[in-house]
Amino acid sequence: MALRPDEFYDHALAASDAERRLPPARMTGWGISPFEEDGLRVSPLRPPVLPEPPRHGEDPSDCDSCRERDEGIWFNDNWRLTRITGVGVPLVLMLHPLDHHDMADLPDELAAELGVLTAHIVRHVQALPHVSRAHVYRIGDGAAHLHIWFFARPAGQAQLYGSWLPVWDDLLPEYPADVADADAAVVADALVASAGGRRRASGDTPRG
């Protein structure tokens, strides 16, 4: 059984200093870290907040993803794919179920389709020139409607390896939109060819 919230907090606090600051993560010692350890400080550890505040879209009638179900660059009967704008890496895509589901209540048939679509999207993103890897993320803390992130890591940028990539993405200047639009269209066309569905030319989603 997982530690209770108060037990987890006390356990973490035991490793902190007098200001409730934990030491810098082991990850900051990696060559891929966007931050130098010298002068880097961890924010004070705050106590747990219970009950947790509701995520956006806990009520389907107030869900942006449900309202925007007609927006995207690719669709089939159950899913839509959008391009996230205002990012720093070559391409960020997001896959959403059309109906209001989170990961834990996703019906088995949609879960199976999610696995197939994820593999196809990764394959097509990694086939783009000058892209080495497609990172896949599901977080779930901000919104109740399931959304899967696909980040394209640019070729040759060894500092952008691994789990720091979304942080680097926030630090990098905005990637040229026309280039990302063209690459997103290539991925959408390839997805139509490999997994069916249909493509739409418009429907970019700003990052937020």
Side-chain angles (χ1 to χ4, degrees):
M1 180 184 297
L3 296 176
R4 297 191 315 266
D6 60 311
E7 292 174 329
F8 182 89
Y9 180 65
D10 289 342
H11 171 74
L13 211 56
S16 68
D17 63 16
E19 295 182 322
R20 293 178 288 116
R21 298 180 192 273
L22 292 165
R26 292 179 293 276
M27 292 171 59
T28 59
W30 297 2
I32 61 173
S33 172
F35 308 110
E36 295 180 352
E37 286 187 284
D38 185 31
L40 184 66
R41 288 206 310 170
V42 178
S43 296
L45 190 64
R46 295 189 291 267
V49 176
L50 294 170
E52 293 188 3
R55 299 173 297 172
H56 171 77
E58 294 284 7
D59 179 354
S61 67
D62 189 36
C63 174
D64 286 343
S65 191
C66 288
R67 283 194 291 267
E68 296 165 358
R69 60 181 288 144
D70 294 328
E71 297 183 15
I73 60 171
W74 173 91
F75 299 84
N76 71 7
D77 291 340
N78 298 314
W79 300 89
R80 67 187 179 101
L81 186 69
T82 59
R83 182 177 87 78
I84 307 302
T85 60
V87 299
V89 297
L91 190 63
V92 177
L93 302 175
M94 186 181 284
L95 184 66
H96 324 241
L98 292 178
D99 294 332
H100 193 80
H101 295 291
D102 200 352
M103 181 70 86
D105 62 44
L106 197 64
D108 286 350
E109 61 274 17
L110 291 187
E113 191 174 14
L114 172 60
V116 172
L117 288 174
T118 296
H120 282 247
I121 294 167
V122 166
R123 187 179 308 152
H124 302 322
V125 170
Q126 292 185 173
L128 293 169
H130 314 305
V131 169
S132 283
R133 210 79 63 224
H135 290 202
V136 182
Y137 304 96
R138 182 267 172 177
I139 313 297
D141 283 335
H145 194 124
L146 175 63
H147 50 291
I148 308 295
W149 297 83
F150 297 84
F151 278 67
R153 179 177 65 75
Q157 296 295 327
Q159 277 185 287
L160 275 59
Y161 280 11
S163 51
W164 281 113
L165 181 62
V167 180
W168 277 109
D169 174 68
D170 277 336
L171 296 169
L172 290 164
E174 185 173 341
Y175 196 80
D178 57 338
V179 179
D181 281 337
D183 281 343
V186 169
V187 171
D189 284 336
L191 194 57
V192 171
S194 69
R198 62 196 183 280
R199 183 167 86 82
R200 177 175 296 173
S202 60
D204 287 355
T205 303
R207 186 171 191 176

